[in-house]
Amino acid sequence: MKNTSIKKDIAIIGMSGKFPQSKNIEQFWKNLQEGQEMIHFYSELELKELGINSKEKDPNFVGVTSRIDDAECFDYQFFGYTKDEAEIMDPQTRLLHEHIWLALEDSGTKTTHYGGKIGLYTAVNDNFNWRLHAKVSNNNKVNPFYANQLSNRSFANTLISYKLNLKGPSLIVDTACSSSLAAVHMACRNLLLKECSIAVTGGVKILTRKETGYNYEEGMIYSKDGHCRAFDESSSGIVNGEGIGIVVLKRLEDALRDRDNIYSVIRGTALNNDGNRKVGYTAPSVQGQYECINLAHRMADVTPESIGYIETHGTATKLGDPIEIEALNKAFNYDTNHSCAIGSVKTNIGHLDSAAGIAGLIKATMVINQKSIPESLHFKIPNPQINFKKGPFYVNTKQTAWNNHSPLRAGVSAFGIGGNNVHVILEEAPERAASETNNPYYLLRYSAKSQWSLDKFQENLKTFLATKKDTKLADLAYTLQTGRDQFKYNRFLVCKSKEEALKILESEDQDGLFSGKLKNTGKVAFMCSGSGSQYLNMGKDLYHDSPYFKEYIDKGFAYLERETGIDYGAILFPKEQSAQQTNNINDNIHTQPLVFVFEYAVAKTLMHLGINPNYLIGHSTGEYVAACLSGIFTFEAALSLLIKRGELMSAAPKGSMLSVSLSKEKITAYLNSDVGLAVINSPESCVVSGTIEGIDALKAILEEKDIACSRIRVSLAGHSFLLDSILKEFEEAFRNITLSEPTIPVLSNYTGEILTKEEATSVTYWVNHLRNTVQFSKGLQQLLTIKNLAFLEIGPGNALTSVFKQHSKENIHDHIALNMLRHPSQEINDTQFFLQQLGELWFQGIDINWESYYGDYLPNKISAPAYVFHQTKFLARVNPLDNLNGNAFNTFEYEVEDNFNEDEEMYKEDADRELMNTPYKEPSTDTEKQLVEIWQDFFSINKIGILDDFFALGGNSLKGVTMLKLIQKTFEIDIKIKDFYKKSTIKGLAAEIDLALKFVIIQEEEISSKMVITI
């Protein structure tokens, strides 16, 4: 069946959740499939350990709970909170932080790089118990104003929107038991109104009181025996449960365009209220529910008979269940010719209040996605008050494969006390385009804020690769490349298959696994090598695997063949390797244009991928590549010049060149009329050029003195007097060439400075460039003065990268140099090597445009392993009224059990200052030492120096007020908040405090002396 309403359809593209006995959605679905009741019944021994005497307990006591595991855990450092702030934060807000992040990751959304607006719509259970706990807790390290926001559910969404930079609407929705499904409804409406591009929605409920069950009261909503028996004759109500569910929504047409993983599609939603069309305020209404469901059908533009499953509200109450089925029967036109299964997730996990609707939506989504309907538990004999015979509905009592409708459609209901009814129509996702990538290698990369989290993610990745047999490696790579944020600790591998990836991850030495810490490299310089580093079949694998690289190679070689009649493709990629072929590629008449085309293709490939140079530096012939990239020459003009340059240099008197490991000053002693200085590569490396006899003689002398030297693979004397005879003719070659102003700064080989407009457009400059010494080292030293620069060698091999490393006295450790193509001695596939270098660039904070990389063969996003948070434990279950002593709130002392537990070794962010912009300087005075202790305790950071700034460490105006109170209390002096902001480092603040303390001492001495005089 064709979907004709794609414009108003909403895709569910990401999910995350935690439910009783279910740490994630996958485990939740597995438990549902297996018909598990995830409600815990306490044994007599357990009740005794909890302080409940079986002989003294109420006869109607039901010892049951439906709670999630690890509700007390929160990775506060990941989200930039202090321990004290996390301690006072509502546990529901803590969970929302983590699961909203996980759901966004599951959707393949990078929050830090997303250009559109992300809206946030959640339901959070009222939590007076926790607010009271926060109110009476003795926590003086959190500003009271901020503490109220942290502990109050009303601020949960906006706190998260602030932390994750979500710029769409940020709303808390409260319609009682239908809250989270109402939040979904509002999220869909806002998407359709284009108030956001992505909507994150769901609900959470955590029971923060220390409870072990309840006393059953007939006529109330709680179950007599702790089981939720929806629609059954013996139904008696619900069990109070807890959990969290979050889904990520996007307009379907956008999701299909972005190749998102679509779990299911929301065709329509409806929300209304019963009004007073019922027996009482808390009672449900047949007419109200019918109108809501009917409106949802009309909004979705579907017929009732096309729906095969309903996830009901299903509270197992004597009044609620019959009314719900009657409303459904009416909405389905009392059609008994149709058959539709129903179920209720409350039979598995209890009633989650604010999270009930989203739990039902997630279950129904998985029902459609997996084409399987789980058993609805505890149904044996129908409630006689339910009119099953007048409609199409039956309770699904066993796991059933669902494939008899096309497309599969389901409805989800949630009805709140007070009459707010919500109904959602779901449909199976349309088939998306198949992933058709044919890349031979893939870059798998992952990142975390701590080494522990990185290692845990790697374990999950191994499990994923081993168990998800149908997953395509390309889809996994693409999802991790485009759908995950980058943090401090990073790791990657390059592989051909999932089997190879597993082998690398499981190997003891982890050969092939690369690790590195994020360096915020800001700018890029392309280093374009000259003749001499070329070799047969260089870049051959990349030529076959990269259409863009191949395009520029072919373009250049086609031009060269038209101009010279020579097949340069046969020279670079010969069918057979021989001495003659080696001679051909090293023949200067071929080398210069060939190397130019090759390097230009590499550079343009990088630029196509989004890596654009801020600076360019060439080495001899390589400066022509730099000039062309900067716009001085056109591609064709540069090639025509290099063809002529190669011809003229080949016609010049034969000569030779020698690389020598001596400085410019030391090599001067060996120069003579036959040998001149051709290149200054580094402070300790030069190239000399001259006659064959002169170079042979010098080589013998140097070898006798054990001075390292090696002959360069050319048969000419570049940048020497032997070229004087060709300079005039070379100048003539520029007659019809247009020279333009550079658009990207180029470091001149001739001057060692930035190439000026006048130089770039001067023919004389390019003649001098051919004849005179190459000042490569001087130019490189100019670039090394720029902070955080990445040097990328775009020629074959690593000649210039090696030269870069010879500048050890020039603070090269503040930079990185990478050769993008392998050295001929390295036995590795060119594409594999290129991807490894892209991985190394990622360590530097430089990423590529992966859509451009894959081109027309874009993979699909999938549900891949997500971030692993630290499980730092905080209080989550409290009974503040049991621990209060006193008669007024301002005199209460609240006693809490000391169960805060954190493994500091797991989170090493504290001890590592690499991402701080200031160098560490330890305190020297007593005041500085006291301030350091206060700041370290306040920020939960182990190594704060006196130059670190309060605001750079995560401080803000509210934290500033709290910090100021701690300082004033410690030093017993008065400091104004404006002075604190001006002196926001420990060094500045300590000086201010010492000055104030001196003033206090002087005042005290004056008072003391006056007192003496008076006496």
Side-chain angles (χ1 to χ4, degrees):
M1 187 179 295
K2 187 176 180 181
N3 185 338
T4 58
S5 60
I6 190 172
K7 287 286 183 182
K8 67 179 182 62
D9 289 351
I10 305 297
I12 298 175
I13 62 170
M15 298 196 297
S16 182
K18 180 181 281 191
F19 300 98
Q21 300 178 30
S22 307
K23 63 181 179 180
N24 52 38
I25 299 292
E26 186 174 8
Q27 190 171 19
F28 178 54
W29 177 245
K30 182 174 182 292
N31 285 332
L32 292 176
Q33 286 286 85
E34 294 174 354
Q36 298 291 334
E37 184 177 33
M38 293 163 260
I39 296 169
H40 178 71
F41 290 83
Y42 290 109
S43 66
E44 291 295 332
L45 179 60
E46 286 175 319
L47 290 173
K48 184 177 181 181
E49 290 174 349
L50 292 167
I52 298 175
N53 191 318
S54 59
K55 295 180 180 180
E56 297 176 2
K57 69 181 180 184
D58 190 292
N60 290 322
F61 175 78
V62 182
V64 65
T65 185
S66 181
R67 297 193 171 191
I68 65 171
D69 295 329
D70 301 322
E72 68 278 10
C73 294
F74 179 48
D75 194 343
Y76 70 99
Q77 294 194 66
F78 181 92
F79 296 99
Y81 292 103
T82 66
K83 290 178 189 175
D84 300 284
E85 290 165 350
E87 220 168 15
I88 212 164
M89 184 184 289
D90 185 337
Q92 299 177 123
T93 305
R94 298 177 199 153
L95 277 173
L96 278 173
H97 276 80
E98 294 189 346
H99 284 276
I100 286 168
W101 180 272
L102 293 174
L104 283 166
E105 280 204 340
D106 190 57
S107 72
T109 303
K110 277 186 180 181
T111 59
T112 54
H113 292 86
Y114 187 71
K117 291 182 178 180
I118 299 177
L120 185 56
Y121 312 81
T122 67
V124 186
N125 217 56
D126 186 36
N127 209 346
F128 173 77
N129 183 66
W130 188 267
R131 294 201 306 276
L132 178 60
H133 156 72
K135 190 74 176 176
V136 300
S137 295
N138 184 24
N139 191 332
N140 63 356
K141 293 177 183 176
V142 181
N143 183 281
F145 182 64
Y146 190 36
N148 176 61
Q149 295 159 3
L150 293 169
S151 61
N152 192 326
R153 66 160 180 166
S154 300
F155 297 96
N157 270 25
T158 48
L159 280 168
I160 295 166
S161 291
Y162 172 72
K163 288 292 183 181
L164 302 188
N165 193 29
L166 310 182
K167 296 180 282 291
S170 189
L171 306 175
I172 295 284
V173 180
D174 192 349
T175 60
C177 312
S178 60
S179 297
S180 53
L181 210 59
V184 172
H185 168 80
M186 293 186 68
C188 291
R189 288 293 186 270
N190 275 200
L191 279 168
L192 295 176
L193 290 170
K194 299 198 172 180
E195 293 183 322
C196 56
S197 303
I198 290 176
V200 183
T201 181
V204 60
K205 177 190 175 185
I206 295 296
L207 302 162
T208 59
R209 281 190 60 80
K210 299 177 181 178
E211 295 175 341
T212 53
Y214 57 88
N215 291 330
Y216 167 72
E217 294 181 52
E218 190 171 357
M220 297 304 290
I221 63 171
Y222 292 108
S223 168
K224 184 176 183 178
D225 59 1
H227 297 290
C228 183
R229 304 177 185 274
F231 312 113
D232 191 77
E233 178 185 48
S234 60
S235 61
S236 58
I238 61 162
V239 173
N240 210 2
E242 65 180 25
I244 180 172
I246 300 293
V247 296
V248 179
L249 310 179
K250 185 187 282 188
R251 290 181 289 273
L252 178 59
E253 59 181 333
D254 295 342
L256 291 171
R257 177 201 65 207
D258 297 338
R259 307 181 77 92
D260 290 324
N261 176 42
I262 303 174
Y263 288 97
S264 70
V265 174
I266 297 176
R267 288 294 305 272
T269 67
L271 167 65
N272 74 350
N273 191 272
D274 294 332
N276 62 5
R277 298 170 293 179
K278 51 189 179 181
V279 297
Y281 171 73
T282 61
S285 162
V286 171
Q287 188 64 20
Q289 291 182 16
Y290 154 72
E291 290 177 357
C292 179
I293 297 167
N294 182 258
L295 178 59
H297 290 169
R298 287 186 283 124
M299 290 296 296
D301 191 23
V302 299
T303 58
E305 61 268 19
S306 69
I307 297 170
Y309 176 73
I310 299 290
E311 177 59 31
T312 64
H313 191 58
T315 54
T317 57
K318 295 295 186 184
L319 179 63
D321 284 0
I323 286 178
E324 181 170 9
I325 299 302
E326 184 62 28
L328 280 167
N329 282 340
K330 187 174 182 180
F332 277 65
N333 303 313
Y334 296 102
D335 182 2
T336 57
N337 295 319
H338 173 51
S339 181
C340 182
I342 63 171
S344 173
V345 75
K346 293 178 181 65
T347 64
N348 303 93
I349 59 176
H351 193 348
L352 307 193
D353 293 326
S354 294
I358 197 66
L361 183 78
I362 289 172
K363 175 190 170 184
T365 292
M366 294 303 293
V367 165
I368 288 178
N369 186 266
Q370 298 297 310
K371 295 180 170 55
S372 175
I373 305 174
E375 171 189 0
S376 192
L377 305 182
H378 310 307
F379 181 82
K380 295 179 180 178
I381 302 173
N383 180 342
Q385 301 301 314
I386 297 177
N387 195 356
F388 277 119
K389 293 183 179 180
K390 287 192 177 181
F393 302 104
Y394 68 94
V395 179
N396 193 70
T397 56
K398 63 179 181 179
Q399 181 185 338
T400 306
W402 187 24
N403 49 26
N404 57 342
H405 289 75
S406 181
L408 300 181
R409 287 183 183 147
V412 183
S413 292
F415 309 127
I417 289 178
N420 279 309
N421 309 305
V422 187
H423 194 74
V424 174
I425 303 297
L426 295 175
E427 181 176 286
E428 68 176 308
E431 288 189 19
R432 57 179 175 172
S435 180
E436 298 179 351
T437 55
N438 55 357
N439 299 53
Y441 287 91
Y442 294 96
L443 173 66
L444 295 184
R445 66 186 201 187
Y446 41 103
S447 182
K449 287 192 176 183
S450 74
Q451 190 70 50
W452 181 88
S453 289
L454 191 71
D455 292 339
K456 289 295 181 182
F457 180 92
Q458 184 168 304
E459 291 177 15
N460 291 347
L461 181 61
K462 284 193 290 187
T463 302
F464 183 88
L465 287 166
T467 58
K468 304 296 182 181
K469 302 296 184 183
D470 295 333
T471 299
K472 291 186 177 181
L473 183 61
D475 294 342
L476 174 61
Y478 179 66
T479 300
L480 296 179
Q481 288 157 359
T482 62
R484 296 293 185 270
D485 290 273
Q486 187 178 14
F487 303 113
K488 179 178 179 179
Y489 295 92
N490 301 279
R491 200 168 286 164
F492 75 83
L493 60 95
V494 177
C495 58
K496 297 175 71 173
S497 63
K498 289 191 290 184
E499 292 73 22
E500 184 181 6
L502 267 174
K503 183 179 179 181
I504 292 171
L505 292 170
E506 291 175 345
S507 64
E508 288 186 11
D509 58 1
Q510 295 192 328
D511 184 33
L513 195 61
F514 301 84
S515 299
K517 291 180 182 177
L518 175 62
K519 304 286 180 62
N520 292 314
T521 303
K523 296 182 178 181
V524 172
F526 282 0
M527 299 191 297
C528 312
S529 55
S531 304
S533 55
Q534 68 280 349
Y535 57 91
L536 291 175
N537 293 315
M538 58 185 183
K540 185 176 182 179
D541 302 317
L542 199 62
Y543 178 79
H544 288 301
D545 299 334
S546 171
Y548 207 76
F549 179 70
K550 183 179 186 299
E551 177 185 336
Y552 274 95
I553 292 288
D554 289 347
K555 177 184 175 182
F557 286 178
Y559 180 86
L560 289 172
E561 187 164 8
R562 285 197 305 271
E563 295 296 311
T564 67
I566 299 171
D567 182 358
Y568 275 76
I571 294 173
L572 179 58
F573 305 131
K575 293 180 180 179
E576 295 180 3
Q577 288 191 213
S578 64
Q580 181 57 45
Q581 296 294 348
T582 302
N583 290 336
N584 283 342
I585 198 171
N586 291 330
D587 188 336
N588 185 60
I589 201 168
H590 301 146
T591 300
Q592 293 191 42
L594 190 150
V595 168
F596 172 87
V597 169
F598 183 86
E599 293 187 12
Y600 186 81
V602 174
K604 293 299 284 187
T605 299
L606 288 172
M607 294 166 77
H608 172 70
L609 297 178
I611 301 177
N612 294 296
N614 302 99
Y615 300 94
L616 297 158
I617 184 171
H619 190 285
S620 188
T621 311
E623 190 164 320
Y624 283 78
V625 182
C628 188
L629 294 171
S630 187
I632 297 170
F633 304 124
T634 65
F635 180 71
E636 291 76 12
L639 274 177
S640 67
L641 285 171
L642 287 170
I643 291 170
K644 190 64 175 177
R645 192 176 189 263
E647 290 173 354
L648 291 173
M649 291 179 72
S650 296
K654 297 298 180 184
S656 186
M657 301 180 76
L658 188 71
S659 177
V660 184
S661 295
L662 286 177
S663 66
K664 176 184 69 173
E665 292 75 20
K666 291 182 179 178
I667 195 65
T668 304
Y670 297 94
L671 304 181
N672 53 49
S673 59
D674 288 331
V675 177
L677 182 59
V679 182
I680 305 171
N681 278 327
S682 73
E684 300 299 328
S685 174
C686 295
V687 175
V688 292
S689 180
T691 63
I692 295 172
E693 297 78 13
I695 293 296
D696 287 342
L698 177 59
K699 186 172 184 292
I701 293 170
L702 295 174
E703 288 176 345
E704 187 177 341
K705 294 185 176 183
D706 290 330
I707 296 173
C709 60
S710 61
R711 199 182 298 275
I712 295 177
R713 290 178 294 175
V714 291
S715 58
L716 52 84
H719 304 284
S720 79
F721 61 92
L722 291 176
L723 300 182
D724 289 345
S725 61
I726 68 168
L727 297 181
K728 188 65 177 176
E729 193 173 349
F730 184 59
E731 185 177 346
E732 289 295 317
F734 282 83
R735 179 172 297 178
N736 297 318
I737 300 294
T738 300
L739 300 174
S740 303
E741 181 180 358
T743 57
I744 304 171
V746 177
L747 274 296
S748 165
N749 277 178
Y750 180 49
T751 66
E753 306 285 346
I754 296 287
L755 188 63
T756 66
K757 174 186 176 182
E758 292 72 23
E759 290 170 333
T761 56
S762 166
V763 176
T764 302
Y765 170 82
W766 294 102
V767 173
N768 287 332
H769 175 274
L770 171 64
R771 166 63 179 85
N772 290 286
T773 303
V774 174
Q775 302 283 348
F776 184 80
S777 181
K778 185 178 179 182
L780 191 61
Q781 289 176 53
Q782 293 287 326
L783 290 176
L784 288 170
T785 62
I786 301 167
K787 290 184 177 180
N788 300 322
L789 194 59
F791 292 82
L792 306 187
E793 183 173 358
I794 63 171
N798 59 358
L800 298 187
T801 306
S802 299
V803 168
F804 170 90
K805 294 175 181 178
Q806 294 170 18
H807 289 74
S808 57
K809 295 180 181 179
E810 307 297 329
N811 205 24
I812 61 171
H813 301 295
D814 291 341
H815 309 275
I816 184 173
L818 294 172
N819 54 302
M820 300 308 296
L821 277 298
R822 66 179 178 89
H823 188 274
S825 65
Q826 292 177 283
E827 295 182 2
I828 183 173
N829 182 282
D830 296 308
T831 301
Q832 181 183 6
F833 184 86
F834 186 74
L835 280 172
Q836 286 181 0
Q837 300 310 82
L838 292 182
E840 293 287 350
L841 275 176
W842 180 59
F843 288 165
Q844 305 303 311
I846 299 171
D847 202 5
I848 68 168
N849 184 319
W850 288 99
E851 282 73 19
S852 297
Y853 177 82
Y854 290 105
D856 295 333
Y857 301 98
L858 206 61
N860 290 320
K861 291 181 182 178
I862 61 170
S863 178
Y867 195 89
V868 182
F869 291 110
H870 284 271
Q871 295 189 318
T872 305
K873 292 185 177 181
F874 297 89
L875 285 173
R877 317 289 186 188
V878 294
N879 289 350
L881 291 172
D882 296 344
N883 294 282
L884 294 174
N885 300 310
N887 299 315
F889 268 100
N890 59 0
T891 60
F892 283 149
E893 291 182 5
Y894 180 48
E895 300 169 4
V896 298
E897 50 187 272
D898 184 19
N899 76 335
F900 178 85
N901 176 29
E902 179 185 16
D903 186 352
E904 292 289 351
E905 290 301 313
M906 283 165 49
Y907 222 123
K908 297 184 178 179
E909 195 78 10
D910 290 354
D912 200 329
R913 297 178 47 85
E914 286 194 23
L915 294 186
M916 293 188 186
N917 292 325
T918 53
Y920 175 73
K921 188 172 182 181
E922 64 181 17
S924 56
T925 68
D926 290 339
T927 304
E928 289 176 348
K929 290 175 182 177
Q930 285 181 278
L931 285 173
V932 165
E933 288 182 9
I934 294 171
W935 284 32
Q936 288 181 165
D937 184 48
F938 185 83
F939 285 111
S940 306
I941 297 176
N942 288 337
K943 196 174 182 181
I944 291 179
I946 63 171
L947 300 180
D948 293 325
D949 184 90
F950 177 80
F951 297 100
L953 291 170
N956 54 37
S957 57
L958 290 177
K959 291 182 180 181
V961 172
T962 306
M963 173 64 79
L964 192 59
K965 289 180 179 178
L966 293 172
I967 292 171
Q968 289 172 337
K969 182 179 179 181
T970 301
F971 294 98
E972 298 182 346
I973 56 170
D974 184 32
I975 298 178
K976 303 297 183 186
I977 189 70
K978 63 178 183 179
D979 295 325
F980 174 66
Y981 289 162
K982 289 179 181 177
K983 308 284 186 179
S984 56
T985 65
I986 287 178
K987 183 178 180 180
L989 191 57
E992 195 76 10
I993 291 171
D994 287 339
L995 187 64
L997 288 172
K998 285 182 181 179
F999 183 70
V1000 170
I1001 293 170
I1002 291 170
Q1003 281 187 320
E1004 289 175 350
E1005 288 176 349
E1006 287 180 352
I1007 293 170
S1008 177
S1009 63
K1010 288 178 182 178
M1011 290 175 65
V1012 172
I1013 292 169
T1014 303
I1015 292 169

